[in-house]
Amino acid sequence: MKPVLVVITLLTTLFSLAQDKDEILSDIENKYQVINEFMSTDALRQYHTEYKYSDTSKKGPLTFYYNGNELKYILHIYVWGHITYRDEFYIWDDQLFFQNTTHTIRYKDYRKKRFGKRTIENITLTLTDKFYFKEGKLIKCEFKNYQNSSTTLKKIRANQMKDISTACDKANNALEKFEILKKFQEKEIKNSRDLPRSISKTFEPEFNQTVYEEDN
């Protein structure tokens, strides 16, 4: 094959792959918006419980969101030291297509003022990891971070910061945790179609039994 034909073939292949990736990301974005619209209108039924697994440091509120009997979204929030974790899992046809993890770190620091004086300020550092999947295969990874302080008048918001493409060394952790959570909800919920719109699970220590409370 002539060198020119090789170059043309290579460019055509690269263009086709880029086009396929754009179509996949567009499909992910559409599904993401649909699920968020469901949640914003309180259309999904919710199952509230606690994360209980071998890693007790991740213990915290765990919520499953269903459209009928289809799991669409999982939210897990937990605190470890000075860090608050918010793990979000977006699901379509029982497969994870997008995962968003937000780490919020709070600490105190000194800020130098005029005339050499120093004052203590509260710092909030936010870090976000985003993972995009297609049928269990990783498509794209993004990262961003920003910082606010108690002395800052104009606070930085997440949508003001641009996502940056990054290495995907944490993507397997997202898939593994999704499988753990999915098995957990399958074990706890026999038939999600029987759930009311919102149901919470609480424990009564005196009787060692489970009580379900329906939200009207």
Side-chain angles (χ1 to χ4, degrees):
M1 185 179 292
K2 295 182 179 180
V4 175
L5 292 177
V6 172
V7 172
I8 293 175
T9 302
L10 179 59
L11 291 175
T12 302
T13 301
L14 291 175
F15 177 78
S16 178
L17 291 174
Q19 192 174 33
D20 289 344
K21 184 176 180 180
D22 288 341
E23 290 176 356
I24 292 172
L25 290 173
S26 177
D27 181 58
I28 290 174
E29 176 65 23
N30 290 335
K31 291 174 179 176
Y32 172 85
Q33 291 180 356
V34 167
I35 293 175
N36 278 341
E37 180 64 24
F38 279 150
M39 291 192 293
S40 66
T41 57
D42 197 28
L44 299 181
R45 292 181 292 183
Q46 305 168 26
Y47 175 71
H48 304 273
T49 184
E50 288 282 330
Y51 181 91
K52 296 180 291 294
Y53 202 65
S54 57
D55 189 351
T56 56
S57 65
K58 294 183 179 180
K59 183 178 180 181
L62 179 62
T63 308
F64 299 92
Y65 292 75
Y66 297 89
N67 181 28
N69 66 333
E70 294 183 8
L71 180 62
K72 290 298 184 185
Y73 176 79
I74 302 174
L75 174 62
H76 179 213
I77 300 174
Y78 61 99
V79 178
W80 189 14
H82 296 287
I83 308 175
T84 299
Y85 293 83
R86 179 185 175 92
D87 291 346
E88 300 174 85
F89 301 82
Y90 288 79
I91 303 115
W92 202 275
D93 292 334
D94 203 37
Q95 292 189 352
L96 178 67
F97 71 87
F98 177 69
Q99 200 271 333
N100 183 79
T101 294
T102 303
H103 312 71
T104 305
I105 305 170
R106 295 179 175 85
Y107 61 96
K108 296 183 183 295
D109 198 3
Y110 286 99
R111 185 172 70 90
K112 192 172 182 179
K113 298 179 66 177
R114 294 176 62 185
F115 309 114
K117 292 184 178 180
R118 295 194 303 171
T119 182
I120 297 178
E121 59 181 0
N122 298 315
I123 305 296
T124 301
L125 175 63
T126 304
L127 305 95
T128 302
D129 290 300
K130 296 180 179 180
F131 305 103
Y132 301 76
F133 299 96
K134 172 68 174 181
E135 297 177 352
K137 296 181 180 179
L138 189 62
I139 303 299
K140 184 179 180 180
C141 302
E142 293 179 330
F143 170 83
K144 68 180 173 185
N145 68 82
Y146 56 95
Q147 180 176 295
N148 286 305
S149 74
S150 56
T151 57
T152 303
L153 296 177
K154 190 175 181 180
K155 305 298 183 184
I156 300 173
R157 299 182 181 275
N159 58 9
Q160 296 175 325
M161 304 302 296
K162 185 178 180 181
D163 293 309
I164 302 171
S165 296
T166 185
C168 298
D169 52 336
K170 300 178 183 177
N172 285 335
N173 294 338
L175 287 171
E176 289 173 3
K177 183 168 181 179
F178 169 64
E179 292 300 326
I180 290 173
L181 296 181
K182 192 170 65 169
K183 291 178 181 178
F184 179 82
Q185 64 90 23
E186 288 173 351
K187 178 181 178 182
E188 295 291 333
I189 303 174
K190 302 301 181 183
N191 190 344
S192 59
R193 287 174 295 183
D194 296 333
L195 290 176
R197 175 172 293 183
S198 180
I199 189 168
S200 60
K201 181 177 179 181
T202 58
F203 292 92
E204 297 291 341
E206 294 181 1
F207 302 101
N208 193 26
Q209 63 183 9
T210 302
V211 178
Y212 293 94
E213 300 173 346
E214 181 176 347
D215 297 333
N216 296 323

